[in-house]
Amino acid sequence: MKKTLGADTLIFPTPLWLVGSYDSTGRPNLTPIAWGGICCSTPPCVAVSLRKATYSYECIMERKAFTVNVPSAAYLKEADYCGMASGRTIDKFAACKFTPVRSELIDAPYVAELPMTLECRLLRYTEIGLHTQFIGEILDVKVDDSALDAHGAPDISKIDPVIFTPKVRGYHRVGEFVGKAFDVGKPIGK
């Protein structure tokens, strides 16, 4: 039996990502988001949703670019803080002791200390009620050498990303490996 909870923003998991952008003066800014995910394979694209009232909304609209930075659990306090302060009045990079790195591909900064970054050119945006969904074409993915597996692919256990749980407003780590995609289900079709 399932209990009806009504229309709500409940889905698991949602990411904890830090979206990087520059403001009109060139100062780097960060904002955490949970409303986001891959939205296209070709071209590779990611979608992030922000409220129009946020400073990051203004920055992305002006610069037409953003980064998606994946914080490891070791940087949870800093990532959470970025959601409690406004980039209008606080330099979040300085407050968190993060190093802004200027992308060579887009007009947006990424965080040197975080293990994984997507560099995105704003492809389009859509106003959806309270939020605007920004679709960024992924021009590059950067991953720390220490977060790669033996084959050179990102290793989720080494990246140690954090997920956000809506409604209860909590953070969790990603859990154990449970099966190989496009393989574990094969017995059902036999």
Side-chain angles (χ1 to χ4, degrees), residues 5 9 12-13 20 27 39 44-45 64 67 79 85 89 92 98 102 130 136 142 148 150 161 177-179:
L5 300 179
T9 55
F12 297 136
R27 186 170 55 105
C39 62
C45 292
K64 307 295 187 235
T67 60
T89 57
K92 297 181 197 180
F98 282 153
R102 181 173 291 280
L130 182 61
K142 291 184 173 8
L148 298 174
F177 179 81
V178 294

Side-chain angles (χ1 to χ4, degrees), residues 56-74:
S56 292
Y57 172 95
E58 292 174 28
C59 297
I60 293 170
M61 290 298 280
E62 175 152 337
R63 300 293 182 128
K64 307 295 187 235
F66 59 92
T67 60
V68 175
N69 301 271
V70 180
S72 62

Side-chain angles (χ1 to χ4, degrees), residues 61-169:
M61 290 298 280
E62 175 152 337
R63 300 293 182 128
K64 307 295 187 235
F66 59 92
T67 60
V68 175
N69 301 271
V70 180
S72 62
Y75 290 101
L76 178 60
K77 287 179 186 174
E78 291 85 350
D80 190 57
Y81 171 78
C82 286
M84 296 185 282
S86 172
R88 285 186 178 91
T89 57
I90 300 290
D91 180 338
K92 297 181 197 180
F93 272 89
C96 293
K97 296 181 175 50
F98 282 153
T99 307
V101 178
R102 181 173 291 280
S103 168
E104 294 179 8
L105 302 174
I106 58 167
D107 194 12
Y110 62 89
V111 182
E113 290 78 8
L114 301 185
M116 185 175 194
T117 298
L118 306 178
E119 294 173 291
C120 305
R121 174 181 63 89
L122 182 61
L123 193 60
R124 63 179 47 101
Y125 61 93
T126 303
E127 304 289 335
I128 310 171
L130 182 61
H131 286 74
T132 299
Q133 185 173 67
F134 293 99
I135 298 173
E137 181 179 0
I138 302 165
L139 300 183
D140 194 23
V141 177
K142 291 184 173 8
V143 180
D144 288 351
D145 288 338
S146 62
L148 298 174
D149 67 15
H151 306 288
D155 183 327
I156 196 166
S157 65
K158 292 178 180 178
I159 292 171
D160 195 18
V162 176
I163 56 175
F164 174 72
T165 53
K167 203 68 164 175
V168 296
R169 302 175 98 181

